[in-house]
Amino acid sequence: EIVLTQSPGTLSLSPGERATLSCRASQSLSSSYLAWYQQKPGQAPRLLIYGAVSRATGIPDRFSGSGSGTDFTLTISRLEPEDFAVYYCQQYGSSRRGTFGQGTRVEI
Amino acid sequence: EVQLLESGGGLVQPGGSLRLSCAASGFTFSSYPMSWVRQAPGQGLEWVSVISGSGDSTYYADSVQGRFTISRDNSKNTLYLQMNSLRAEDTAVYYCAKEKPPWLRLFDYWGQGTLVTVSS
């Protein structure tokens, strides 16, 4: 089973700064089947990025994804107040499970 | 507009049972696999179970295999999760989630969740 490890656990930044979140897979992900979700307190997760680099519908272009193989990155170019949340990476497509990372909290 | 609305959560004793429902609207329900994903208090996300669009194929996480049963009624646009032999570690918010084809376990819409608390 593929294990996803996210780092750092918590990222403390200010509005306007750049956020860089990492997700490392224990095995190479086929066809870059890696997604990123955002979750705010008391809310359901929201799909941000899939296929490692493709933004989901309605996602602002300050969110971008990169990477392949085992190393993936979510970048938020300039943090807006509404971007402070927990972010999860997830591998999908290659197995019947959908394994999530443990999450990175982006805090002010 | 896609909407998913869970219900049926609550407090149940260890060893008890509970059935969750998820009412779907805004899309052709029978065309999409649907999953349940849970989140224990203060913890991350754990995929629980999936059912195919027709309902003839199901799959479970090891942690719930043999205790939980996923089903759907496409005539009612509703997804279900029957949870038996509940344990304290099943305490979580349970989300239903729609898959984004053609990929397995990629979720483009989620419900707001329903809280299940297993405690005596």
Side-chain angles (χ1 to χ4, degrees):
Chain A
E1 180 178 330
I2 296 175
V3 176
L4 299 178
T5 302
Q6 293 187 238
S7 62
T10 301
L11 200 51
S12 298
L13 294 168
S14 299
E17 290 192 301
R18 181 184 187 90
T20 303
L21 288 67
S22 174
C23 178
R24 177 163 291 178
S26 58
Q27 305 171 34
S28 182
L29 299 187
S30 59
S31 303
S32 296
Y33 287 156
L34 191 284
W36 291 92
Y37 297 85
Q38 176 194 66
Q39 187 179 34
K40 298 178 182 180
Q43 297 186 18
R46 176 174 70 147
L47 178 64
L48 296 177
I49 301 285
Y50 63 97
V53 299
S54 299
R55 275 188 298 276
T57 303
I59 302 304
D61 60 7
R62 65 179 180 274
F63 292 92
S64 62
S66 62
S68 62
T70 61
D71 291 298
F72 299 87
T73 300
L74 174 69
T75 301
I76 311 171
S77 59
R78 290 178 57 85
L79 282 164
E80 298 287 342
E82 62 267 28
D83 299 335
F84 291 92
V86 179
Y87 294 83
Y88 294 94
C89 61
Q90 182 215 9
Q91 67 92 13
Y92 65 92
S94 59
S95 75
R96 289 184 287 178
R97 294 180 174 86
T99 309
F100 294 90
Q102 82 279 18
T104 290
R105 179 181 305 276
V106 178
E107 64 175 24
I108 299 177
Chain B
E1 178 191 5
V2 172
Q3 291 194 336
L4 299 170
L5 184 61
E6 301 95 336
S7 60
L11 175 62
V12 60
Q13 292 188 340
S17 297
L18 210 56
R19 188 176 85 152
L20 306 183
S21 299
C22 170
S25 61
F27 64 104
T28 305
F29 181 67
S30 60
S31 295
Y32 296 89
M34 296 290 295
S35 280
W36 288 96
V37 179
R38 68 184 180 183
Q39 186 171 36
Q43 302 301 309
L45 300 165
E46 179 190 17
W47 172 81
V48 172
S49 182
V50 62
I51 187 168
S52 62
S54 63
D56 60 1
S57 178
T58 60
Y59 190 62
Y60 300 90
D62 291 344
S63 57
V64 306
Q65 178 76 49
R67 300 187 298 121
F68 289 12
T69 302
I70 191 171
S71 62
R72 65 192 297 159
D73 184 338
N74 287 342
S75 69
K76 296 181 178 180
N77 288 352
T78 302
L79 175 72
Y80 302 101
L81 186 68
Q82 177 66 44
M83 304 185 294
N84 298 332
S85 302
L86 283 161
R87 307 166 179 167
E89 55 265 35
D90 295 318
T91 295
V93 174
Y94 285 74
Y95 297 100
C96 64
K98 170 187 168 293
E99 296 206 349
K100 180 179 175 62
W103 300 283
L104 301 176
R105 303 311 90 76
L106 176 64
F107 307 115
D108 57 355
Y109 290 95
W110 299 63
Q112 87 293 344
T114 188
L115 176 62
V116 173
T117 302
V118 184
S119 174
S120 56

